Amino acid sequence: MNETMVTLVGNVATQVEWRESATGGAARFRLAVTARRFDREKQSWVDGATSFYTVWAARALGMNLTGSVAIGEPLLVHGRLRVRDEERGDGPRWFSADVDAVAVGHDMSRGTTAFRRVFKGEAPPVERAGGRGAEGGPAPGREPASSGAGQPVSANGAPEVVWESATPAAPVAAPTGV
């Protein structure tokens, strides 16, 4: 009950790393959060100091992050704040701010995104392809591989993400009674 919950708005600073463990998998990446303020003397917005947070995401959230997030993308991260304090040898004390993520999403005020629901028992993830996503890692997609996969698709000159799956997608029935 006495946890410090935070919501951070920033940019992905490192590639998402996925690691399996005995208690289940977890993903980790660094988030850069830069404060902005309005300088009345200059009559413009100026950047303040940048803080870096290590974001941890367990199980399904972590797996979905590996295929959905790339370096430089704007994110919102909501989770539990943990501040670690360590002494390293004879050197100074070392502090680190970690966030155990509960929810993560793209910052829609800075761009668009497309949500893809992932169902239990799906095929294992494959590499994310297209646009900036090439460095994003595995993606838990449902769509079959398309011809020209890995090539950016553009209707108006903007790159789009192309998703691939190891197995063809099964038809999904529309929900009834909604």
Side-chain angles (χ1 to χ4, degrees), residues 60-140:
L61 176 58
M63 177 64 76
N64 292 339
L65 278 171
T66 61
S68 302
V69 174
I71 294 173
E73 292 181 346
L75 291 184
L76 280 86
V77 175
H78 181 73
R80 290 173 213 67
L81 178 65
R82 289 185 296 130
V83 177
R84 293 187 295 150
D85 176 10
E86 298 178 18
E87 290 192 32
R88 294 187 171 182
D90 294 332
R93 294 177 79 169
W94 180 78
F95 294 92
S96 172
D98 294 358
V99 176
D100 293 328
V102 173
V104 178
H106 285 103
D107 184 352
M108 302 297 287
S109 69
R110 298 181 44 205
T112 62
T113 191
F115 178 78
R116 307 262 191 275
R117 185 173 300 277
V118 177
F119 298 94
K120 288 185 179 180
E122 283 193 353
V126 296
E127 290 298 314
R128 180 176 172 184
R132 293 185 330 184
E135 71 273 7

Side-chain angles (χ1 to χ4, degrees), residues 127-153:
E127 290 298 314
R128 180 176 172 184
R132 293 185 330 184
E135 71 273 7
R142 287 189 46 85
E143 293 74 33
S146 61
S147 61
Q151 300 298 319
V153 178

